[in-house]
Amino acid sequence: MARSLNLEEHCFSNQYGEARMNAKFNLYPLCLRPDLVLGAKPHADGSAITFLLQDNEVEGLQILKDEKWFRVPIVPHALLVFVGDQAEIMSNGMFKSPVHRVVTNSERERITLAMFCFPESGKEIGPVEELIADGRMPRLYRNVSNFVEIYLQNYQPDKRPIDIVKI
């Protein structure tokens, strides 16, 4: 990721410290009224990176782009990689954390596994200095510690927790 922005290779991982990973298994049971029930409400992930192993047969994941929802096709046995809010902060908005949701299915249940990568507890993250030095681009986010706590405290409908740390 750093190389794609012409930055020092370890500039993100140096901020991150010893990474933690949390796994979450998701079961979305079949739903007789998928037009009325979401499997997961619209959100962006509070992690830096999320790895998602989708169900091999049942779709449900959708991404928001230009105020429209687009289905994410199944690629059997592949990992889907999401940039999370913390990577958006560290990249000063160069990488975007996508808003996504899960829709339910009226005929079949859906099972997924998500792995969330978080920084070492207490580590402060912020935009990489090289991105904002010498007026290269304006600073969009303030430095923050324990972003996951901020994320959980501000996880509300129609709001993004990342907005709390915007300048």
Side-chain angles (χ1 to χ4, degrees):
M1 290 174 63
R3 286 184 189 167
S4 73
L5 298 176
N6 295 319
L7 297 171
E8 188 274 318
E9 183 176 347
H10 299 288
C11 65
F12 296 120
S13 58
N14 288 343
Q15 280 194 65
Y16 221 62
E18 190 69 31
R20 297 180 300 133
M21 294 188 79
N22 293 344
K24 180 180 179 187
F25 289 91
N26 301 296
L27 170 64
Y28 304 98
L30 68 90
C31 176
L32 299 178
R33 294 295 311 265
D35 56 322
L36 298 176
V37 178
L38 287 175
K41 69 180 185 173
H43 67 282
D45 293 339
S47 59
I49 301 289
T50 300
F51 300 97
L52 179 68
L53 181 60
Q54 293 201 77
D55 191 294
N56 283 329
E57 298 175 2
V58 183
E59 286 187 354
L61 183 61
Q62 296 183 339
I63 301 283
L64 184 64
K65 183 176 180 353
D66 300 327
E67 305 302 319
K68 288 184 173 178
W69 289 104
F70 293 89
R71 71 177 189 78
V72 176
I74 295 171
V75 179
H77 312 291
L79 286 176
L80 182 62
V81 180
F82 281 92
V83 171
D85 285 350
Q86 293 187 51
E88 184 170 332
I89 292 166
M90 289 187 289
S91 72
N92 200 43
M94 296 295 289
F95 297 120
K96 301 292 184 195
S97 177
V99 174
H100 52 284
R101 69 180 183 184
V102 177
V103 295
T104 54
N105 186 297
S106 63
E107 298 173 10
R108 299 184 62 192
E109 68 182 18
R110 180 174 182 265
I111 299 173
T112 63
L113 169 62
M115 295 288 294
F116 303 96
C117 300
F118 298 102
E120 185 178 321
S121 183
K123 277 288 207 177
E124 182 178 82
I125 64 164
V128 171
E129 196 59 40
E130 292 84 357
L131 290 172
I132 56 176
D134 302 324
R136 183 171 169 188
M137 65 186 301
R139 181 186 193 97
L140 302 177
Y141 301 96
R142 62 182 169 87
N143 288 6
V144 63
S145 295
N146 300 317
F147 179 76
V148 173
E149 289 176 25
I150 293 169
Y151 180 88
L152 294 173
Q153 290 169 359
N154 295 280
Y155 188 80
Q156 302 169 30
D158 303 321
K159 292 190 179 183
R160 293 198 54 201
I162 195 170
D163 292 340
I164 298 296
V165 298
K166 281 187 177 175
I167 293 178

